[in-house]
Amino acid sequence: FPRAKIFMGDVGSYLIGATLAWLMLHTAQISVVQLLAILVAMSSMIADPTLTLILRIVQGKPFWRAHRQHLYQLLSRTGLSDTKLLVNYLVYACLSFLMARWITMQTSLNACYLTALWCVLSSLLWGFSRRKVLRMHRHSGRYARVDNKLEKLKKQNGARDL
């Protein structure tokens, strides 16, 4: 894949996600089933930011400050190439779209159940992946040195969270 020519960051990616969501909602005659299908289809852009925000709030960390705790950032720090990272997210997005398509063929009640199931499965996958990456990160000497350097920088600058 070609290297990016610009960096959009969280704000840029949220703008694209919100625009896609708005376009989907604006162009469709929305029923409950369709709305649930859209949420599931967009879950690849909703799950990580939402769960990371909840985790930061639960841990008592200032959620409004910049951080590097999103799953894609943790995966990138383990040395996973951009291409492999993209493929992982692409597989998840494709599964999301398949589930969304299946939801559109259901009754409202079944669509609610399937959406709830997808939310639970996505949260478990996120938590499992995050835990595995953090475990790998802790046991790798190279990444432990990076963390030690970050901790020293935090202490020098008086910052709580980088």
Side-chain angles (χ1 to χ4, degrees):
F1 295 100
R3 299 291 282 164
K5 301 226 188 270
I6 61 170
F7 175 74
M8 294 175 31
D10 287 347
V11 174
S13 61
Y14 291 146
L15 175 65
I16 289 175
T19 303
L20 286 174
W22 180 83
L23 285 172
M24 291 167 99
L25 292 171
H26 189 269
T27 59
Q29 295 178 0
I30 299 297
S31 69
V32 171
V33 173
Q34 290 170 328
L35 178 62
L36 294 173
I38 288 170
L39 289 175
V40 168
M42 301 295 290
S43 67
S44 62
M45 292 181 255
I46 297 171
D48 184 43
T50 303
L51 293 170
T52 302
L53 179 68
I54 291 169
L55 181 65
R56 287 181 60 78
I57 291 170
V58 167
Q59 291 175 339
K61 294 182 179 178
F63 62 89
W64 57 89
R65 286 196 182 162
H67 60 87
R68 292 151 90 198
Q69 295 179 341
H70 289 285
L71 183 58
Y72 73 90
Q73 292 166 323
L74 296 174
L75 287 168
S76 179
R77 286 190 353 214
T78 64
L80 194 66
S81 71
D82 291 342
T83 302
K84 288 181 181 176
L85 189 60
L86 176 65
V87 168
N88 282 324
Y89 271 84
L90 187 59
V91 167
Y92 177 80
C94 288
L95 291 173
S96 298
F97 281 108
L98 288 173
M99 179 61 116
R101 180 67 181 132
W102 191 33
I103 285 173
T104 61
M105 296 183 241
Q106 306 298 318
T107 64
S108 293
L109 184 60
N110 286 343
C112 290
Y113 289 143
L114 288 173
T115 302
L117 175 65
W118 185 254
C119 289
V120 169
L121 291 175
S122 293
S123 298
L124 289 173
L125 177 64
W126 179 85
F128 174 76
S129 299
R130 184 178 170 80
R131 180 175 293 191
K132 185 174 181 178
V133 167
L134 288 174
R135 214 176 289 138
M136 285 172 37
H137 188 71
R138 278 190 213 115
H139 295 299
S140 170
R142 182 173 72 157
Y143 299 111
R145 286 192 298 273
V146 170
D147 281 346
N148 288 338
K149 288 179 184 176
L150 287 173
E151 288 301 319
K152 286 180 185 177
L153 284 172
K154 284 185 203 177
K155 288 178 184 174
Q156 289 173 355
N157 296 327
R160 282 204 226 151
D161 201 10
L162 284 179

